[in-house]
Amino acid sequence: MIRFPTRPLVGPLAALGLAMVAPAPLQAADAQVVKIDNFTFTPAALTVKPGTTVTFENDDDIPHLVVANDGAFRSKALDTGDTYAFTFTKAGDFAYYCGLHPHMQGKITVAP
Amino acid sequence: MTNHDDDSERGGISRRHALECMIWAGTGVLWTMSGGVPVSLNLLGAAQAAEAMTTGFTFLQISDSHIGFDKAANPHAIDTLKEAMGKIQALPQKPAFMIHTGDITHLSKAAQFDNAAEIIGGAGFDVHYVPGEHDVIDDDNGKAYLDRYGKGTKGAGWYSFEQNGVHFVGLVNVVNLKAGGLGNLGPEQLAWLADDLKAVSASTPIVVFAHIPLWAIYPEWGWGTDDAAQALSLLKGFGSVTVLNGHIHQIMQKVEGNVTFHTARSTAFPQPAPGTAASPGPMTVPAGQLRGLLGTSSVAVKQGGQELAIIDSTLA
């Protein structure tokens, strides 16, 4: 009786193959990183699911500041190695730029 | 005087001199008003510079001290600022005052402002500041700067003043930056500038100073100001206009009609020439070369003449 409930679960998981390592991809979907390096956001365009926390990490020797075009979010000045995390709950396109170097731009697309 | 009078060369400044200027990155610029136009003294012969200094006055430009910066390109930005101020204090002809074209601090922190004020103020000169983008990134969006330097200014810190018949205008182009844009003056400041210049006669030499260059040096790296053309159009009717900027941590110069543009070195760290690196970030050079890339500029103003003389000096 104990084994029976497990069989229907193991079957589909094994059939998917990749799903056997399901915990790792699920973590990655919940938390994404945008690196700031050489005055560039990488990746410049990122698509995430609603509820995803995106962490911006400054790897430059110059501070940067992440600002949403529509004002939805704004980091403090990020010195070298500093990070800023924002959780995207609503679907849509969120363009952002560096408040110090506004030619630096990126976009987060939130889609179910 | 030497270069600017030579109309046989395009724009009144030779390509060779422009290139020389581009090679020197960093201390301060000693400016002289030579006949009403600022000329950096390194563009003058020693005798001419001496003459300019005895018949007019000089002021000194310092820029991009980035107090708080401690990365590989210069772990001791505070020490190189001290060295620069030491050289300024040792000048045989004392400047009438100084201007600081922004990025006083690296991160707008109170201690950084305090350290800068102690070192720069310790020299005993009047200093006229404009903010760089690094000076307005406190949590209150520029309050830290305005609390210290905003007295008698308008808006985000712009103002004008007169000195020995020269009209000086300090502009702020580092706030309210727009996505995808460059430096920004904004309509309020432009309206103020138009009004400010109404009372100034066309023969009055004008010196405009702001952090980000007011000419498009390299927009790909953000080295320009979106609405600078509107400001420059207001300055068209004047016989002599000199625009002094910082931000790019290297010397570049251009003459366009009645306007001479000049950028200054940083006292903290050099940045690469446009397009020569992956980004405009701090450029790390061999330790022995750093001080040759940092500096200040001195400007001599000669009464009744037509040009100012600018001398750029390195810390080396």
Side-chain angles (χ1 to χ4, degrees):
Chain A
M1 288 301 290
I2 292 168
R3 287 177 192 159
F4 277 114
T6 65
R7 290 179 69 96
L9 288 175
V10 169
L13 283 173
L16 284 170
L18 275 177
M20 294 302 284
V21 288
L26 280 175
Q27 287 279 28
D30 288 336
Q32 297 272 11
V33 173
V34 173
K35 295 259 191 186
I36 308 172
D37 192 22
N38 275 327
F39 288 63
T40 305
F41 295 107
T42 306
L46 177 66
T47 300
V48 301
K49 293 193 183 314
T52 303
T53 297
V54 177
T55 300
F56 300 86
E57 179 183 315
N58 181 17
D59 291 340
D60 269 343
D61 277 356
I62 280 289
H64 295 293
L65 206 156
V66 184
V67 187
N69 290 19
D70 69 357
F73 55 89
R74 178 187 181 91
S75 75
K76 293 183 176 181
L78 305 178
D79 197 7
T80 308
D82 285 353
T83 61
Y84 168 69
F86 183 79
T87 302
F88 291 85
T89 53
K90 292 179 188 166
D93 284 345
F94 296 90
Y96 63 90
Y97 64 104
C98 172
L100 287 174
H101 314 99
H103 64 287
M104 296 169 54
Q105 295 178 276
K107 186 176 79 172
I108 306 290
T109 299
V110 183
Chain B
M1 279 159 54
T2 44
N3 299 306
H4 292 219
D5 285 347
D6 186 354
D7 291 331
S8 66
E9 300 196 82
R10 180 172 170 73
I13 181 166
S14 75
R15 180 172 178 79
R16 181 172 59 83
H17 274 97
L19 289 172
E20 281 174 6
C21 288
M22 289 168 69
I23 290 165
W24 307 322
T27 312
V29 188
L30 182 63
W31 290 89
T32 186
M33 296 295 254
S34 171
V37 178
V39 180
S40 76
L41 292 181
N42 64 19
L43 299 177
L44 295 181
Q48 290 168 311
E51 181 199 348
M53 306 242 272
T54 55
T55 59
F57 72 100
T58 63
F59 64 96
L60 196 125
Q61 180 187 6
I62 190 169
S63 197
D64 295 86
S65 36
H66 282 266
I67 292 305
F69 182 83
D70 59 1
K71 302 301 186 294
N74 181 1
H76 309 290
I78 196 164
D79 290 343
T80 45
L81 175 62
K82 286 177 183 170
E83 286 176 37
M85 292 310 303
K87 284 183 179 286
I88 292 164
Q89 283 180 290
L91 286 171
Q93 189 84 20
K94 297 286 176 242
F97 60 89
M98 290 174 55
I99 61 170
H100 193 305
T101 44
D103 286 356
I104 306 157
T105 71
H106 195 56
L107 292 167
S108 304
K109 293 188 186 303
Q112 296 172 353
F113 277 116
D114 291 346
N115 284 338
E118 187 181 332
I119 297 165
I120 297 169
F125 298 106
D126 282 341
V127 187
H128 301 279
Y129 291 89
V130 286
E133 75 278 10
H134 289 255
D135 299 319
V136 293
I137 50 175
D138 55 308
D139 291 346
D140 293 317
N141 290 320
K143 186 172 183 292
Y145 173 86
L146 286 176
D147 281 352
R148 287 169 171 80
Y149 302 114
K151 192 182 174 193
T153 71
K154 313 278 187 194
W158 56 80
Y159 59 97
S160 66
F161 64 94
E162 308 288 330
Q163 175 88 31
N164 293 42
V166 179
H167 188 71
F168 288 84
V169 182
L171 297 179
V172 179
N173 57 358
V174 297
V175 299
N176 298 322
L177 304 183
K178 308 287 188 295
L182 306 172
N184 175 57
L185 293 162
E188 185 188 353
Q189 185 169 207
L190 288 166
W192 169 85
L193 179 62
D195 188 55
D196 177 75
L197 293 172
K198 272 182 193 162
V200 181
S201 72
S203 60
T204 302
I206 296 180
V207 175
V208 175
F209 57 105
H211 179 64
I212 298 176
L214 290 170
W215 42 302
I217 292 179
Y218 198 57
E220 292 86 344
W221 281 359
W223 291 0
T225 299
D226 279 327
D227 47 5
Q230 290 166 258
L232 295 172
S233 72
L234 296 170
L235 295 160
K236 268 186 182 151
F238 296 91
S240 159
V241 179
T242 302
V243 178
L244 305 178
N245 302 121
H247 188 60
I248 68 170
H249 297 212
Q250 60 197 289
I251 291 173
M252 291 208 185
Q253 190 153 293
K254 180 176 89 153
V255 179
E256 190 173 297
N258 63 327
V259 184
T260 299
F261 298 87
H262 189 99
T263 64
R265 295 185 182 97
S266 162
T267 63
F269 56 85
Q271 286 178 238
T276 62
S279 78
M283 182 168 69
T284 302
V285 298
Q289 294 175 20
L290 176 62
R291 281 163 175 76
L293 297 172
L294 306 179
T296 61
S297 303
S298 180
V299 186
V301 183
K302 184 180 176 184
Q303 298 305 313
Q306 286 303 307
E307 296 188 356
L308 313 201
I310 308 169
I311 292 183
D312 300 301
S313 309
T314 69
L315 292 184

